[in-house]
Amino acid sequence: MIDFDTALALVLNEARPLPSESVALDAAADRVLATDLRARGDAPRAAVSAMDGYAVRDADLATLPARLPIATVAFAGRADVPVLLPGTCARVFTGGPVPPGADRIVVQEIVGRDGDAALFEVSPGPGNHIRAAGSDFRSGDTLLPAGTVLGFRAMVAAAAADVANLSVVRRPRVIILGTGDELAEPGQALETPGSIPESVSFGVAGLARQCGAEVIARRRLTDTPETLEAAAGLALSEADLVVVTGGASVGEKDYARSMFAPLGLELIFSKVAIKPGKPVWFGRVGSVLILGLPGNPTSAMVTARLFLAPLIAGLTGRDPAALLNWRNLTLTTPLKPCGDRETFERGRLVGDGVAGLDVQDSATQKALAIADVLIRRRPGAPGLGPGDVAAVLDF
């Protein structure tokens, strides 16, 4: 067995961004830019008004009050606004083009009307309320650098660049293979003697999607070598990452690794000295990565959170370190001394502190729903009491 930090380093070494692809802007949200995004033009393209009001020449307001005929009206989107002649003004709305020759926009709240003329009785103040051409950005400016995650704010800038398609890191295609003769599809287990609902793949798929993967299949397999080898071959032809659940221990029907052996499995690690999750393993066949998770639900989800989440993040172009943000919290309940394996206890947030769950069994499923964090315990660590500090990771 290897220790957790060594295993994690081996996973992160493989967590490199996949090649890029071009996608429509409308499909780019939450993806990661593969190249710098540069503006196709200036923004704004011409000087525009920042307010609803009246465009004027300063010379025409040198003496107040002033009465100026309204020569034209400029709404947003108008492209042919004429030059503003001396002694006139223009009615301009927010985003509308500022007529050439105008020095400022006077906000409508301090302007009166007399038919087709505007009445200016008070000083407009220091601001000119004009957004100059190119004041937001210029053609060729980098609006978003490569590596940017296209969240909702970044999507506004991407659209403002006036591009229809974006070059983004391809999402990893993930296939989840659930092994075990005892597994049945949820909704069918009670009608099938000796079976239990297959639950792990649903959690793994949810986590993979949350981290940016494209889950293209979940397949439940019986513990038959021929069936498993055929499924392994098919998965390798379709996916960038195959996740196998179950069959990772040393029982007579634990075939998770052997199903890939005839296909050229290169094992990166086979066991990790952690609890829960010791049987977790990692390998590759050619360019396809394979992560083997234990079959027990809690063990599977703990190891998925520790290894699968940062692996997928890296493959999508994100920083895996963002999913490994351990922080110290104060315990509200005691923790027993840790054994000889690094242990990740499940806990829940209580105010500004953390409490360990009463149930720490690796097969439990109910407790998963209330666990907020993993509490990291080093091998041989002494017991801790309320008020002591422990390292936790969002779960």
Side-chain angles (χ1 to χ4, degrees), residues 49-343:
S49 176
M51 306 288 285
D52 292 337
Y54 296 83
V56 299
R57 291 174 174 267
D58 282 342
D60 291 328
L61 299 186
T63 302
L64 296 175
R67 183 181 187 277
L68 301 176
I70 300 170
T72 190
V73 178
F75 292 95
R78 182 175 175 182
D80 60 347
V81 63
V83 173
L84 187 66
L85 298 177
T88 67
C89 68
R91 180 74 165 110
V92 180
F93 294 90
T94 302
V98 176
D103 297 307
R104 71 179 60 250
I105 305 297
V106 181
V107 297
Q108 64 183 15
E109 288 81 1
I110 62 172
V111 180
R113 286 291 294 267
D114 180 16
D116 291 333
L119 305 177
F120 302 87
E121 298 182 344
V122 298
S123 172
N128 68 6
H129 304 300
I130 293 175
R131 297 187 178 117
S135 58
D136 190 355
F137 53 81
R138 292 287 187 181
S139 176
D141 283 355
T142 298
L143 302 189
L144 299 170
T148 297
V149 179
L150 292 165
F152 61 90
R153 296 187 304 275
M155 286 296 294
V156 173
D162 193 29
V163 296
N165 297 278
L166 296 176
S167 177
V168 297
V169 178
R170 185 167 59 76
R171 293 187 298 169
R173 298 182 298 265
V174 175
I175 290 178
I176 303 167
L177 303 178
T179 68
D181 289 335
E182 75 280 13
L183 303 178
E185 283 295 306
Q188 302 175 15
L190 287 180
E191 290 73 35
T192 308
S195 69
I196 59 174
E198 194 283 302
S199 60
V200 173
S201 70
F202 292 91
V204 173
L207 177 64
R209 292 189 183 102
Q210 183 177 306
C211 295
E214 178 186 2
V215 179
I216 60 176
R218 286 186 313 100
R219 294 170 184 158
R220 183 172 51 85
L221 307 173
T222 58
D223 292 326
T224 306
E226 295 79 9
T227 300
L228 295 172
E229 289 179 18
L234 179 60
L236 291 173
S237 70
E238 299 172 317
D240 302 295
L241 170 62
V242 179
V243 181
V244 186
T245 67
S249 198
V250 293
E252 292 185 2
K253 289 193 173 184
D254 289 331
Y255 301 125
R257 287 195 294 272
S258 63
M259 63 195 280
F260 292 96
L263 303 168
L265 175 64
E266 175 191 345
L267 199 59
I268 298 172
F269 62 76
S270 60
K271 288 183 182 179
V272 182
I274 58 175
K275 182 180 180 181
K278 181 176 72 171
V280 64
W281 60 278
F282 186 48
R284 67 185 311 135
V285 174
S287 63
V288 182
L289 297 171
I290 308 165
L291 180 64
L293 304 179
N296 279 326
T298 291
S299 297
M301 296 315 302
V302 168
T303 49
R305 176 61 184 87
L306 295 173
F307 298 115
L308 179 63
L311 175 59
I312 290 176
L315 294 175
T316 65
R318 292 170 170 81
D319 181 4
L323 292 175
L324 299 167
N325 185 24
W326 293 91
R327 64 190 191 279
N328 291 325
L329 291 181
T330 301
L331 290 167
T332 63
T333 57
L335 296 179
K336 296 178 181 179
C338 188
D340 60 356
R341 279 186 283 157
E342 189 157 357
T343 299

